[in-house]
Amino acid sequence: MKHRYLPMTEEDKRAMLDTIGVSSIDELFSDIPEKVRFKGEYKIKAAKSETALMKELFMLADRNADLKRNVSFLGAGVYDHYMPVIVDHVISRSEFYTAYTPYQPEISQGELQAIFEFQTMICELTGMDVANSSMYDGGTALAEAAMLSAGHTKRKTILVSSAVHPEYRDVLKTYAKGQYLEVVEVPVKDGVTDVEVLKELVNDDVAAVIVQYPNFFGRIEPLKEVEEITHASKGLFVVNSNPLSLGLLTPPGKFGADIVIGDAQVFGIPTAFGGPHCGYFAVTNKLMRKVPGRLVGQTVDDQGRRGFVLTLQAREQHIRREKATSNICSNQALNALAASVAMTALGKKGVREMAAANLQKAHYAKTAFKEAGFEVVYDGHSFNEFVVKLNKPVKEINQQLLQKGMIGGYDLGRDYPALANHMLIAVTEQRTKEEIDTFVKELGDLHA
Amino acid sequence: MHNHDQALIFESSTPGRIGYSLPEMDVQELDLVSLLPEGYIREEEAELPEVSELDIMRHYTALSKRNHGLDSGFYPLGSCTMKYNPKINENVARYNGFAHVHPLQDESSVQGALGLLYDLQEHLIEITGMDEVTLQSAAGAHGEWTGLMLIRAYHEANGDMKRTKVIVPDSAHGTNPASATIAGFDTITVKSTDKGLVDLEDLRRVVGEDTAALMLTNPNTLGLFEEEILEIAEIVHQAGGKVYYDGANLNAVLSKARPGDMGFDVVHLNLHKTFTGPHGGGGPGSGPVGVKADLIPFLPKPIISKRGEEFVLDYDRPQSIGRVKPFYGNFGINVRAYTYIRSMGPDGLKAVTEYAVLNANYMMRRLAEHYDLPFDKHCKHEFVLSGKRQKKLGVRTLDIAKRLLDFGYHPPTIYFPLNVEECIMIEPTETESKETLDSFVDIMIQIAKEAEENPEIVQEAPHTTVVGRLDETLAARKPILKYQKN
């Protein structure tokens, strides 16, 4: 058969078979026992030409309501943000996207340096000493933070705030099972972690206290109080943080966090139906040698030239095998590059300006909802999300909003039974005043 | 900083420059102090670079030139399946309806995305011969851990709590034992015979009522098909264990043998290897997991199902191991893999494996005179050489790898698998032409001659790269892991 990805001609094939000393390709498969040999062809769809396939898949994609044509107020961990156009141009350079992990540093300096810069930027935003080269996503990064904490403290209980993303908590519970850890959820009071209950729950078996900042409801958690309680019992203080918010908020490192994790999807990475996004993982110097995943370090070559290498690999699975404390191998390198480009484009001023725009526009929207007579639940200091109480199921309202080109907020009743008919609304810098006003009005009409 | 060093973006920063264009601020701005609690407004700004858009593009273009990708040249990295990354995949993954949909939208508004995932599952079920597939795992290692958690849940559901051990061959990838540990198992190693295959006697010795699973790559990391696979599976099943297929090497057996027909109970695939999701410089990948019927109840939540004509996310899975990842896996990579499968069709996928295996055998035969060939039989998609002969001349496998850089090649995988001395592991893939294979072989032969006649040129390589061999000891002893202003 002929195919544009398969360059061998019949002549090539014959010459190669001669060199090998066999008369057919089939002979090369003679070691596959008859009993397990698959005969014939897969019963799958026939190949399509480039044009026909692109058309088919374009039509399939078109069946989805996308965020370009619709106005989105949906967040809950994944956001419609400004994506500097330059990001896609950089990550489309195939020297980056068609490379493997940079195991040969002499011909991988571009990727290695880009990761080194990513690590630096994550440290700057989080206020931490060391950041790795990325994790799959915020959820698995959170689970890895819990495992690191358990290994480091030799303790078995993880306290996680109920105001941490519900899906992240679910992932944590799955990992915890593998590691025989007990996960205890700390309740929420008035929209933030209940520190009084937390005080009662900490004990000398608590490896980590995990909170989210800003939390799942958009609220600013009292990191100062949580840190004091956590460290008084000698557990590790883990903060899951939206790194965009840290352009404006005091970084968790300043509050004494031991591990800061989260997702860098907010920086130039498309929502892409939930992935691939880009987990990040940052720690204090004390925990440097326990970080999961890859780390890039600076060094010199034999002529004193600066260069970068994968380093401290003695931590990793390919060296430690069954003694490894994490099994991560492939991570999200290309998305870390995308996030780096976006963080670079925003720069020192832009990251703060963009974070502030989220805060201001979300505050405007929250006020507009109140003025329109809605009850804003868990009201208080928040970043770019807040909770509005409705009198109908969120799912029903969202289906109607979609008819008007709007993607409504998240149905909190899915995870918090007490919050049935409550919508978590995200307002990013992308939303215009007009879009916000229309959304409030439409919701008001549906609500009436 | 050395004169010839490539500047870090931070070193190119100039206060006052910007590289962004944010949407207009069209609502009234309030004083930040009124909007945030005291002590929670950042005092020191994050030291991100201040550069113009052109500065950014030049910087990353310069970095890209210091990076070797598959599009730059041949990349015969064993066990990594560095095949061509079709460009159509990149276009399709960027369609608005795929790239810009939110995972928490109402199901009715993402029928196209769910439909694609469902059809990809169906295709992978047929390709692997399994009964069900989940697309949730983000990468190979993540798939391994997911698969092992399924096996654990299965044994526990049967009240079989003593099964605490996972068996891996000595040639296994490091992720296998590491994944077993993270899933809460102990690892036992089973030996290979001098023919490079699982030692059945040793396997019979190590299996028992504590065996949870055997993890196997087939063909194995030496590129050899485990001919006694049915017996291997039988031994493990007799002992009550499950057999796990590491799909890293699936490119060797498409349309030739299916894990589901070989006695495997669980498989993971690396869509970024066999199915051309690009490697991205180390990810993102995608590591779907396929299972036989008895393991379906334990699959991670949610499952994508079809109800009538509608695709739904099914969370009602009481025996599920739970969630392994937020949302539904690395969708963007799954879109690319689906596009690839649909570009190839059944006959195309069959040809993929045939050419991958033809290419590997051709290179192996051409190199066999010049390097030691520890396992002299037909290989599958990859083969291993040993640099033992060159080592006696003072040239190590690492030197050979570095010398290849001078000729514009990415070296093969080296020092893996661990059971071959001075190992060189070559995987050409099916997308390379005979000319490319011949040129590479010619250079390998030249290097073998250099090792005899002029070993210094190999020992001191590379000579043409932007940096020479880097001091890795220094990097680990005095770690510098981020930019520090002088």
Side-chain angles (χ1 to χ4, degrees):
Chain A
M1 79 161 285
K2 285 186 184 163
H3 195 285
R4 64 194 186 284
Y5 307 153
L6 303 173
M8 289 305 167
T9 64
E10 281 303 309
E11 276 174 16
D12 292 336
K13 190 168 112 182
R14 271 196 302 276
M16 291 165 78
L17 289 171
D18 280 351
T19 302
I20 299 167
V22 293
S23 57
S24 72
I25 288 181
D26 276 350
E27 279 184 54
L28 300 175
F29 291 93
S30 57
D31 53 349
I32 299 182
E34 184 65 22
K35 270 188 166 170
V36 300
R37 205 171 301 174
F38 183 78
K39 287 149 194 121
E41 286 179 350
Y42 293 139
K43 291 184 190 68
I44 59 174
K45 289 179 179 166
K48 271 196 174 177
S49 69
E50 192 167 85
T51 306
L53 185 57
M54 285 183 82
K55 185 170 181 191
E56 180 194 319
L57 296 178
F58 183 84
M59 298 308 283
L60 189 64
D62 215 38
R63 291 188 60 203
N64 300 320
D66 66 70
L67 305 184
K68 297 287 170 190
R69 274 185 304 187
N70 295 277
V71 178
S72 171
F73 291 88
L74 182 55
V78 180
Y79 303 91
D80 175 27
H81 279 303
Y82 164 53
M83 296 188 22
V85 165
I86 192 172
V87 172
D88 203 37
H89 286 266
V90 172
I91 66 165
S92 296
R93 290 195 67 92
S94 70
E95 297 87 344
F96 290 126
Y97 83 79
T98 71
Y100 199 72
T101 301
Y103 286 135
Q104 295 289 337
E106 296 89 344
I107 54 166
S108 310
Q109 283 301 299
E111 175 71 29
L112 287 161
Q113 181 172 331
I115 295 173
F116 183 82
E117 292 174 357
F118 173 79
Q119 292 174 180
T120 306
M121 292 188 236
I122 293 295
C123 287
E124 279 295 326
L125 283 168
T126 56
M128 303 301 282
D129 302 319
V130 177
N132 80 359
S133 67
S134 77
M135 307 295 287
Y136 305 135
D137 51 59
T140 54
L142 183 140
E144 292 261 8
M147 292 197 292
L148 189 166
S149 301
H152 181 73
T153 59
K154 313 256 186 294
R155 295 174 173 191
K156 289 286 186 190
T157 303
I158 306 294
L159 297 184
V160 61
S161 166
S162 304
V164 165
H165 197 297
E167 299 204 4
Y168 289 23
R169 281 183 279 133
D170 286 348
V171 174
L172 168 66
K173 286 171 200 163
T174 311
Y175 274 84
K177 195 157 177 291
Q179 295 289 292
Y180 304 95
L181 305 179
E182 192 191 353
V183 177
V184 178
E185 299 197 345
V186 185
V188 168
K189 190 181 177 201
D190 302 330
V192 295
T193 307
D194 189 331
V195 289
E196 293 308 316
V197 177
L198 178 64
K199 271 183 205 161
E200 288 163 24
L201 287 172
V202 289
N203 59 45
D204 60 8
D205 191 49
V206 171
V209 173
I210 307 177
V211 297
Q212 182 172 322
Y213 172 74
N215 73 22
F216 189 65
F217 307 112
R219 293 288 310 277
I220 312 297
E221 285 280 351
L223 294 192
K224 188 167 176 290
E225 286 78 2
V226 177
E227 184 273 336
E228 284 163 8
I229 297 166
T230 307
H231 283 156
S233 76
K234 297 193 167 55
L236 295 187
F237 180 33
V238 179
V239 181
N240 168 31
S241 196
N242 172 344
L244 170 65
S245 73
L246 301 181
L248 185 61
L249 298 179
T250 304
K254 283 273 179 201
F255 289 105
D258 298 291
I259 306 174
V260 183
I261 52 90
D263 205 302
Q265 181 267 326
V266 292
F267 292 128
I269 297 171
T271 49
F273 201 45
H277 294 163
C278 179
Y280 74 85
F281 200 105
V283 298
T284 55
N285 273 327
K286 190 178 67 181
L287 298 172
M288 173 169 64
R289 285 169 199 274
K290 298 193 171 175
V291 172
R294 294 168 183 149
L295 288 170
V296 173
Q298 182 182 316
T299 185
V300 292
D301 75 356
D302 42 9
Q303 295 175 49
R305 289 176 291 197
R306 179 171 65 190
F308 301 91
V309 292
L310 292 175
T311 193
L312 302 178
Q313 294 190 68
R315 299 164 294 113
E316 288 189 65
Q317 44 76 28
H318 62 282
I319 308 286
R320 285 181 73 87
R321 298 175 75 87
E322 69 274 10
K323 293 188 189 68
T325 51
S326 168
N327 68 337
I328 190 166
C329 184
S330 281
N331 50 37
Q332 307 283 116
L334 193 70
N335 284 11
L337 176 66
S340 286
V341 180
M343 286 188 275
T344 299
L346 287 167
K348 188 175 177 174
K349 300 295 172 199
V351 73
R352 190 179 180 95
E353 197 180 318
M354 181 161 147
N358 276 263
L359 180 72
Q360 298 283 2
K361 290 190 175 181
H363 185 78
Y364 170 82
K366 185 160 75 171
T367 307
F369 271 105
K370 285 189 215 167
E371 284 169 359
F374 284 90
E375 184 185 345
V376 171
V377 179
Y378 292 162
D379 194 13
H381 294 301
S382 57
F383 178 55
N384 64 356
E385 288 177 287
F386 55 90
V387 180
V388 167
K389 186 178 179 184
L390 305 173
N391 59 7
K392 285 181 193 153
V394 175
K395 189 178 172 71
E396 190 182 305
I397 285 189
N398 277 342
Q399 285 175 345
Q400 287 169 302
L401 281 171
L402 195 61
Q403 306 304 316
K404 306 197 180 258
M406 282 182 280
I407 293 172
Y410 183 68
D411 179 359
L412 284 168
R414 282 176 56 167
D415 309 290
Y416 303 90
L419 295 177
N421 299 355
H422 285 61
M423 184 188 273
L424 177 67
I425 293 169
V427 183
T428 72
E429 79 292 337
Q430 294 286 84
R431 298 289 70 84
T432 64
K433 178 175 180 297
E434 193 185 341
E435 287 168 350
I436 297 167
D437 291 344
T438 308
F439 182 60
V440 175
K441 186 182 170 301
E442 291 293 347
L443 215 52
D445 292 349
L446 291 171
H447 194 254
Chain B
M1 181 180 157
H2 202 277
N3 279 343
H4 307 291
D5 289 347
Q6 167 66 41
L8 288 160
I9 192 71
F10 309 100
E11 292 163 346
S12 308
S13 178
T14 303
R17 279 197 191 128
I18 65 158
Y20 62 93
S21 165
L22 284 167
E24 289 70 17
M25 193 59 207
D26 54 2
V27 304
Q28 194 198 346
E29 287 183 76
L30 303 180
D31 187 355
L32 291 177
V33 174
S34 70
L35 297 179
L36 291 170
E38 196 186 339
Y40 286 78
I41 302 177
R42 188 169 187 131
E43 286 174 358
E44 292 164 33
E45 290 175 301
E47 286 294 331
L48 300 184
E50 298 182 85
V51 286
S52 73
E53 191 167 312
L54 176 59
D55 291 337
I56 300 169
M57 205 61 218
R58 289 242 170 96
H59 175 72
Y60 284 106
T61 302
L63 290 189
S64 74
K65 288 179 177 169
R66 295 162 73 88
N67 221 52
H68 180 97
L70 179 82
D71 290 356
S72 320
F74 190 38
Y75 217 126
L77 194 62
S79 263
C80 298
T81 312
M82 297 301 288
K83 59 166 80 176
Y84 175 59
N85 298 137
K87 304 310 164 194
I88 181 179
N89 298 357
E90 298 303 314
N91 284 36
V92 170
R94 283 169 172 80
Y95 288 159
N96 283 342
F98 293 143
H100 302 289
V101 279
H102 194 291
L104 300 170
Q105 284 176 221
D106 193 79
E107 281 166 12
S108 64
S109 71
V110 289
Q111 285 296 301
L114 291 173
L116 182 146
L117 293 175
Y118 185 83
D119 205 36
L120 176 58
Q121 286 177 184
E122 294 289 296
H123 279 71
L124 295 179
I125 286 168
E126 169 68 9
I127 288 168
T128 56
M130 305 304 282
D131 295 321
E132 187 59 275
V133 163
T134 172
L135 301 169
Q136 295 214 27
S137 301
H142 197 224
E144 289 175 17
W145 167 78
T146 302
L148 291 170
M149 290 299 289
L150 295 172
I151 291 171
R152 200 176 132 179
Y154 168 85
H155 290 312
E156 287 178 4
N158 291 337
D160 205 351
M161 314 304 273
K162 294 176 306 217
R163 299 198 176 269
T164 57
K165 295 197 166 68
V166 167
I167 304 167
V168 302
D170 51 10
S171 61
H173 294 117
T175 48
N176 289 177
S179 299
T181 299
I182 304 305
F185 294 109
D186 297 324
T187 302
I188 317 181
T189 302
V190 59
K191 281 188 254 172
S192 300
T193 62
D194 54 5
K195 290 186 174 135
L197 302 174
V198 170
D199 184 332
L200 265 62
E201 283 316 304
D202 198 44
L203 181 62
R204 285 197 187 91
R205 194 180 58 77
V206 297
V207 294
E209 55 185 25
D210 60 358
T211 300
L214 165 73
M215 297 181 87
L216 209 59
T217 312
N218 195 19
N220 64 25
T221 57
L222 300 166
L224 305 176
F225 195 87
E226 296 284 355
E227 296 180 38
E228 295 181 280
I229 183 60
L230 288 175
E231 197 163 350
I232 291 170
E234 179 66 15
I235 293 169
V236 178
H237 287 152
Q238 282 291 334
K242 291 287 179 189
V243 191
Y244 183 99
Y245 184 85
D246 178 331
N249 293 344
L250 192 76
N251 213 46
V253 291
L254 293 171
S255 298
K256 296 295 173 188
R258 305 190 304 175
D261 303 331
M262 292 186 231
F264 288 96
D265 303 286
V266 183
V267 324
H268 90 259
L269 305 178
N270 300 71
L271 296 189
H272 46 295
K273 294 182 178 176
T274 320
F275 299 100
T276 69
H279 282 79
S286 177
V289 175
V291 295
K292 283 294 177 70
D294 53 355
L295 286 147
I296 292 176
F298 309 101
L299 285 172
K301 286 193 270 197
I303 294 286
I304 298 161
S305 313
K306 198 171 180 185
R307 283 188 199 138
E309 286 308 298
E310 199 192 357
F311 299 101
V312 293
L313 292 161
D314 178 7
Y315 290 86
D316 185 20
R317 312 277 304 174
Q319 286 189 285
S320 166
I321 59 168
R323 216 178 240 295
V324 297
K325 190 186 184 315
F327 317 117
Y328 329 111
N330 279 343
F331 175 72
I333 305 303
N334 295 337
V335 170
R336 288 170 173 87
Y338 181 72
T339 306
Y340 173 69
I341 293 171
R342 298 291 315 280
S343 298
M344 300 313 293
D347 49 342
L349 289 179
K350 189 173 177 185
V352 162
T353 283
E354 292 185 346
Y355 287 120
V357 171
L358 175 71
N359 289 2
N361 278 282
Y362 175 69
M363 291 179 81
M364 182 175 80
R365 283 301 149 211
R366 281 208 60 202
L367 285 166
E369 282 176 47
H370 308 276
Y371 292 86
D372 280 12
L373 180 63
F375 306 102
D376 189 359
K377 61 181 282 198
H378 296 323
C379 63
K380 293 278 86 55
H381 67 309
E382 66 188 3
F383 61 99
V384 297
L385 300 172
S386 165
K388 266 196 304 200
R389 203 184 306 175
Q390 287 72 26
K391 191 183 177 187
K392 287 189 192 118
L393 302 167
V395 171
R396 299 199 57 205
T397 284
L398 180 70
D399 302 323
I400 295 167
K402 296 303 180 194
R403 183 65 177 140
L404 281 167
L405 301 178
D406 286 332
F407 299 95
Y409 293 114
H410 192 289
T413 297
I414 53 173
Y415 300 106
F416 183 83
L418 307 174
N419 53 349
V420 174
E421 191 187 346
E422 294 293 311
C423 191
I424 303 171
M425 184 194 205
I426 299 176
E427 180 183 6
T429 83
E430 72 284 0
T431 59
E432 300 295 340
S433 68
K434 180 168 178 292
E435 290 87 335
T436 301
L437 306 183
D438 281 332
S439 305
F440 178 82
V441 168
D442 292 344
I443 294 298
M444 283 291 286
I445 294 170
Q446 182 187 321
I447 295 172
K449 286 208 178 93
E450 286 175 350
E452 289 168 9
E453 294 161 9
N454 185 13
E456 294 80 17
I457 200 167
V458 188
Q459 289 156 344
E460 289 163 14
H463 305 277
T464 60
T465 46
V466 293
V467 290
R469 290 196 201 185
L470 291 151
D471 189 341
E472 301 199 8
T473 313
L474 175 72
R477 196 173 294 156
K478 291 185 180 168
I480 302 174
L481 304 175
K482 62 178 180 179
Y483 169 67
Q484 273 141 344
K485 247 188 194 170
N486 290 328

